Each structure stands twice: as structure tokens, then as C-alpha cells.
Amino acid sequence: IDTLFIDEGFGSLDENAREQAIRILQGLSGGSRLVGIISHVTELKQEIDDQLLVIKDESGSHVRWQIS
């Protein structure tokens, strides 16, 4: 698999399980492989270096890259 997207589920994990999931997903990414995570969990967002942010405001939704 070259691309994997995961949609949420991290909010139900305790801190140790979330950290383990992040380590595993980071290990799966790299090279020609892409792992995308869709999340609203603040602690998870702080662990992800490169992000595509979706921002909603009064004029609609906008996206921007946040690259480390």
C-alpha cells in the first residue's frame, strides 16, 4: 500500500495507545508511502510535522499546507 488515510478514532485512545499509534504510523510513512490522518485531537496534531489544514470561516472553507 502506497497511500493510507485514517479518519479519526484517536480521541478514544488513552495517551499511551495514541503515542504507540503515532509511532507505528510514522514508521509506515516515508519514501514513496504516504499516511494521512484526519483528526481534531490537539495532542495528535502536535505530533504531525506536515499538515494540510482545513480552516472554516464565515466565507467558507479554505486549505493551507503547514510544512515543518
Side-chain angles (χ1 to χ4, degrees):
I1 295 176
D2 292 329
T3 304
L4 173 67
F5 280 92
I6 299 172
D7 184 8
E8 222 23 271
F10 294 96
S12 62
L13 300 177
D14 64 31
E15 184 178 350
N16 290 332
R18 188 173 51 248
E19 289 175 3
Q20 182 179 8
I22 291 168
R23 280 195 307 274
I24 291 169
L25 293 171
Q26 287 173 332
L28 291 173
S29 67
S32 64
R33 294 182 287 182
L34 171 70
V35 175
I37 300 170
I38 302 167
S39 182
H40 299 94
V41 177
T42 301
E43 295 83 7
L44 182 64
K45 290 187 225 178
Q46 294 170 350
E47 296 292 327
I48 306 301
D49 294 330
D50 301 333
Q51 300 179 14
L52 178 63
L53 303 174
V54 179
I55 299 123
K56 183 179 177 184
D57 61 23
E58 57 278 349
S59 64
S61 296
H62 310 279
V63 296
R64 73 175 172 84
W65 281 105
Q66 179 173 301
I67 306 294
S68 62

